Amino acid sequence: MTTTHTALLGDRTVRRVGFGAMQLAGPNAWGPPRDPDAARAVLRRALDLGVNHVDTAQIYGPDVVNDLIAEALRPYPDELVIATKVGGRRDDGGGWIGAARPERLRADVEANLRGLRVERLGLVNLRLMPDGERVPLAEQLGALTALRDEGKLALIGLSTVSADDVRAALEITPIAAVQNAFSVVNRADQPVLDLCRAQGIAYVPYFPLGSAYVGGPQVLAADPAIASVAAKHGVSAAQVALAWLLARYDRMLLIPGTSSIAHLEDNLAAGHVALDDQDLATLDGAKQLGNPMG
Ligand SMILES: NC(=O)c1ccc[n+]([C@@H]2O[C@H](COP(=O)([O-])OP(=O)(O)OC[C@H]3O[C@@H](n4cnc5c(N)ncnc54)[C@H](OP(=O)(O)O)[C@@H]3O)[C@@H](O)[C@H]2O)c1
């Protein structure tokens, strides 16, 4: 099975293996990293290797990750799409809380513009928080479409949404991407992926490597199905997990998260791992770990 290396994100063409920047902050995306120079070096290496889709959020840190991106990558190349998300905030202990009122979404878009030091954001995902304030979806999207009309963002996406949410959103505005939890060890979101395929919406799985919360690629490497496919191809378990995602949909865009240049390079090479039908059948036996966020 051959893998194409680029796909559309809205009207932008991006490399299918991008970079998720959440791991560049301190543990649990809270506070600064131990070594900010190393974090900036990972970002620069990602772009050197052709990454042109970076996922971030003002609430990573807060502000820490957006600042690192601005410091490391400005002046931004024209082809770079930086995706961010609004809809949540952090409490004093780093907990994640919903913050969905339209004025709050507007303030958070402005905070991302300031942190990233841009005049327009490439993609803003509306992140629905299950325990958040009950604000109708139409009101939340209304805030984002107004900001798009003002030129403050180019594309609107959705994150942590159901298929019904996607259908309801499409009645209101075009949706460029859906960012939900999904991986070889967490396939519960398959119906949303199917809907994205039917609608031609890019699908951007978070926790593509199972996430640090469940042990990440170390846990993947211990799974017999994943380990056997990795051994057959002479590649890492992380690369198998990413290649499995790429094989499922031609507009699947990856944002694996890492704070390590070696892991970044490993992840970017996953686009060259060609899984065959037998590999995919073997990977159907991978133990399901569920969604780390419940
Ligand atoms: N929309 C949302 O609500 C939401 C939620 C969560 C995440 N996200 C986004 O999705 C991105 C990806 O999710 P994630 O970072 O939480 O989880 P992930 O990509 O599934 O896994 C990250 C973990 O894997 C490790 N890792 C990465 N590449 C590796 C490799 N090649 N070999 C061994 N270990 C490797 C990382 O540690 P090292 O740093 O040591 O490499 C880290 O512990 C985030 O960065 C963020 O941008 C969005």
Side-chain angles (χ1 to χ4, degrees):
M1 199 170 295
T2 54
T3 309
T4 48
H5 296 292
T6 59
L8 280 174
L9 175 57
D11 56 353
R12 303 289 299 272
T13 298
V14 294
R15 292 278 290 264
R16 292 182 67 204
V17 188
F19 178 71
M22 187 176 87
Q23 303 296 336
L24 298 180
N28 194 31
W30 186 239
R34 216 169 346 113
D35 184 349
D37 285 340
R40 285 186 284 266
V42 171
L43 286 161
R44 281 192 284 264
R45 183 75 179 136
L47 264 64
D48 285 349
L49 291 172
V51 166
N52 56 10
H53 173 211
V54 172
D55 183 77
T56 183
Q58 183 271 337
I59 52 175
Y60 296 162
D63 292 317
V64 169
V65 172
N66 280 355
D67 283 346
L68 289 167
I69 290 172
E71 290 156 9
L73 303 184
R74 280 192 353 130
Y76 299 117
D78 289 344
E79 61 274 18
L80 177 64
V81 179
I82 302 181
T84 186
K85 55 194 79 67
V86 294
R89 64 181 179 85
R90 308 299 291 270
D91 66 19
D92 292 345
W96 309 82
I97 311 173
R101 296 174 62 79
E103 60 275 19
R104 175 73 200 210
L105 298 177
R106 172 171 285 272
D108 287 346
V109 164
E110 301 281 359
N112 276 287
L113 288 165
R114 277 195 306 278
L116 290 165
R117 294 176 230 166
V118 290
E119 294 191 349
R120 188 156 83 135
L121 298 166
L123 168 69
V124 175
N125 286 306
L126 176 63
R127 204 311 188 174
L128 301 190
M129 305 287 278
D131 59 348
E133 301 150 287
R134 298 278 157 247
V135 179
L137 185 65
E139 276 183 41
Q140 297 183 59
L141 284 173
L144 294 190
T145 56
L147 287 156
R148 186 182 57 203
D149 293 347
E150 291 166 32
K152 295 190 172 177
L153 61 94
L155 299 169
I156 295 174
L158 298 170
S159 178
T160 318
V161 287
S162 67
D164 283 347
D165 293 328
V166 178
R167 286 189 204 96
L170 286 170
E171 299 285 320
I172 298 167
T173 182
I175 295 298
V178 168
Q179 188 178 115
N180 277 2
F182 188 67
S183 72
V184 67
V185 294
N186 171 26
R187 305 181 186 195
D189 205 47
Q190 185 67 44
V192 179
L193 171 56
D194 292 340
L195 177 61
C196 287
R197 188 186 286 106
Q199 294 286 341
I201 298 171
Y203 185 88
V204 187
Y206 65 80
F207 299 151
L209 299 169
S211 104
Y213 297 114
V214 295
Q218 278 180 336
V219 168
L220 303 183
D223 183 288
I226 299 172
S228 73
V229 175
K232 174 180 154 187
H233 289 271
V235 300
S236 70
Q239 288 174 321
V240 169
L242 298 177
W244 179 86
L245 286 165
L246 290 173
R248 292 188 87 80
Y249 176 32
D250 57 3
R251 293 182 70 186
M252 177 83 70
L253 302 178
L254 305 185
I255 50 165
T258 181
S259 55
S260 139
I261 286 183
H263 290 169
L264 169 77
E265 292 174 351
D266 190 56
N267 297 340
L268 290 174
H272 300 289
V273 179
L275 301 178
D276 59 27
D277 289 344
Q278 192 192 1
D279 298 328
L280 296 174
T282 302
L283 291 170
D284 283 342
K287 185 166 184 278
Q288 295 301 293
L289 303 177
N291 185 344
M293 290 173 122

